[in-house]
Amino acid sequence: MTGKVKIGIVGSRFQADCIATSVKAMPEEAEVVAVASPSPGNAETFARRHGIAAFHSDYREMLRDPAIELVSITAPNRLHAQITIDAARAGKHVVCEKPLCITLEEADAMIDACTKAGVLLLYAEELFFAPKYVKAKQMADEGAFGRVHLVKQSEKHSGPHSDWFWDVDQSGGGALMDLGCHGIAFCWWFLGKPKVKSVYAQLSTQVNSARTQGDDEAITVIEFETGAIGIVENSWNRPGGMDDSVEVFGDKGQTYADMLMGNALPTYSDVGFGYAVEKAGSTRGWTWPVFEEHWNYGFPQEMRHFARCVRGKEVPVSDGHTGRVVQEVLYAAYASAGLGRKIMLPFRPKGIKKPIDLWKNPKLAEAAL
Ligand SMILES: NC(=O)c1ccc[n+]([C@@H]2O[C@H](COP(=O)([O-])OP(=O)(O)OC[C@H]3O[C@@H](n4cnc5c(N)ncnc54)[C@H](O)[C@@H]3O)[C@@H](O)[C@H]2O)c1
């Protein structure tokens, strides 16, 4: 096939908006031709807002459209596996939002379904495309910092916008699952995708225990087989807008990359204005409004790369295997917090319903060692 890759989006809210806007920002390789979302009227409103021709209330109906080549899944975590498997069976390539799924068994089933169907399973980790972070990796790969022995990635904000994130049965876990999946993938990718040797995590629910069983503060230490260390810090308790940053240390140098505030306009306003940055509660007083927000994250570049992978022009830098590596580290991190000790990998407990159970019920983690 030639021409623009035709995309169908599943979901019509936060991340769906990001994907539709990002595809339009780099339109030469792909276009969104359909959207599916179950709440009455939502898919239609979304389609009109983004100039998309077709809309459906059931994603399975959208999968029957032979024109669609690639399905972008922006539905809640608990639905990622089933939608991926259904899309693969319908012969569609898949872009799955993070985290890949809830369980390791689901990750295996998703990879298996896509392999059998001969379609790509692309894992949407936009940090691999964030221009500032890509620059940091280019310098590291060039040797600018000597041997890199420590990489830190933090993602912190004031808490998710939709109720399902707070319900661990639907999300699988708290801030670690929601935000830590980015940092785990980032450290692994930045260091050249080495094997993970061990994981240690400190988790707690400091502020939101009335609202969630999930962790709202998380610190994860990942030891790689090369000896390098990754530190991932996540929070759902940081008002003032999204904070996404990276620090890289080697024996010959270091670099610091603050993706949003570091690319913002330090601004003071008595009266406020429309929008500063994701999850900023107010625009009065001092704020850090970011420009080209999607571009700074790397979303348009990510979707362009995925479309080029569908056309065989590029090889995926993030796929089902990436998502599965992250999933195993998430399991190990929750188990570590439950047992209060380091977990050695491989760590592949079977029959766990969701990663956070390994923290809440340490016996499950103990049994898996
Ligand atoms: N890459 C990133 O930085 C990033 C950012 C935000 C969200 N995400 C991920 O994207 C996914 C969606 O998150 P969100 O913030 O858009 O959530 P959201 O609550 O804003 O939107 C979820 C959407 O899924 C739809 N949905 C629910 N059940 C469905 C079903 N059965 N079939 C089809 N659609 C269904 C909802 O109607 C809604 O439109 C999550 O997995 C989340 O982790 C990724």
Side-chain angles (χ1 to χ4, degrees):
M1 275 238 220
T2 53
K4 290 186 186 186
V5 172
K6 297 198 167 32
I7 300 175
I9 298 179
V10 181
S12 63
R13 289 188 63 198
F14 186 90
Q15 194 56 11
D17 253 319
C18 169
I19 297 298
T21 309
S22 297
V23 170
K24 277 189 281 186
M26 292 186 91
E28 67 279 11
E29 303 280 353
E31 63 183 317
V32 178
V33 297
V35 58
S37 193
S39 307
N42 281 6
E44 182 174 1
T45 307
F46 185 90
R48 290 200 199 295
R49 187 163 69 249
H50 288 285
I52 298 167
F55 50 88
H56 308 268
S57 54
D58 186 336
Y59 74 86
R60 284 162 296 197
E61 193 182 291
M62 185 177 84
L63 295 180
R64 286 197 281 274
D65 180 349
I68 293 170
E69 302 171 81
L70 175 64
V71 170
S72 162
I73 301 173
T74 70
N77 302 348
R78 72 178 194 287
L79 301 168
H80 290 186
Q82 190 59 55
I83 300 173
T84 297
I85 292 165
D86 289 343
R89 287 186 182 148
K92 315 296 185 194
H93 300 286
V94 175
V95 173
C96 185
E97 276 302 328
K98 62 79 195 167
L100 186 65
C101 48
I102 305 277
T103 70
L104 279 169
E105 285 89 344
E106 285 180 343
D108 287 338
M110 293 162 80
I111 293 169
D112 192 49
C114 290
T115 306
K116 280 197 181 121
V119 296
L120 296 173
L121 173 53
L122 302 155
Y123 178 60
E125 181 43 76
E126 76 278 1
L127 298 190
F128 295 178
F129 303 90
K132 210 177 228 189
Y133 295 175
V134 168
K135 175 69 179 172
K137 180 158 166 59
Q138 278 167 357
M139 291 189 290
D141 290 349
E142 238 177 70
F145 318 121
R147 177 184 166 268
V148 175
H149 56 265
L150 175 61
V151 179
K152 298 187 190 177
Q153 204 281 336
S154 319
E155 203 165 290
K156 304 171 227 173
H157 60 51
S158 54
H161 47 275
S162 286
D163 287 342
W164 67 263
F165 286 93
W166 302 86
D167 172 3
V168 294
D169 287 328
Q170 299 195 60
S171 59
L176 170 62
M177 183 95 182
D178 177 35
L179 304 176
C181 56
H182 286 300
I184 294 164
F186 179 85
C187 293
W188 179 71
W189 167 75
F190 195 93
L191 290 164
K193 303 186 174 176
K195 274 198 173 154
V196 176
K197 186 173 171 196
S198 76
V199 176
Y200 175 81
Q202 176 67 46
L203 305 179
S204 52
T205 311
Q206 297 285 347
V207 177
N208 295 289
S209 51
R211 190 168 185 195
T212 185
Q213 296 285 307
D215 44 292
D216 63 8
E217 291 286 338
I219 298 166
T220 307
V221 181
I222 307 165
E223 181 188 15
F224 293 95
E225 273 194 352
T226 55
I229 306 295
I231 297 182
V232 178
E233 197 186 320
N234 305 108
S235 174
W236 279 352
N237 303 315
R238 297 288 193 283
M242 173 70 97
D243 179 357
D244 196 307
S245 60
V246 161
E247 298 178 25
V248 177
F249 301 92
D251 58 328
K252 303 262 189 298
Q254 64 259 6
T255 191
Y256 304 88
D258 183 335
M259 186 208 282
L260 299 170
M261 280 182 280
N263 281 3
L265 295 74
T267 296
Y268 181 87
S269 168
D270 272 338
V271 290
F273 53 96
Y275 178 83
V277 69
E278 180 186 343
K279 309 263 185 317
S282 163
T283 54
R284 290 192 183 193
W286 279 103
T287 55
W288 277 258
V290 67
F291 57 92
E292 296 287 1
E293 192 172 15
H294 288 147
W295 182 267
N296 282 313
Y297 272 114
F299 288 115
Q301 302 91 321
E302 171 190 81
M303 290 308 289
R304 178 178 187 272
H305 167 68
F306 287 158
R308 289 176 65 79
C309 291
V310 167
R311 285 282 172 271
K313 296 174 183 169
E314 289 179 22
V315 177
V317 299
S318 184
D319 58 9
H321 174 66
T322 305
R324 198 185 183 294
V325 167
V326 172
Q327 207 68 24
E328 188 176 348
V329 174
L330 287 171
Y331 266 42
Y334 278 110
S336 166
L339 294 171
R341 51 176 273 203
K342 218 185 211 189
I343 301 294
M344 306 305 290
L345 266 63
F347 181 69
R348 291 167 192 174
K350 291 197 171 61
I352 305 299
K353 289 205 171 72
K354 53 189 182 302
I356 197 169
D357 291 349
L358 292 158
W359 176 36
K360 298 290 172 167
N361 185 356
K363 279 190 190 147
L364 288 174
E366 188 80 62
L369 292 177

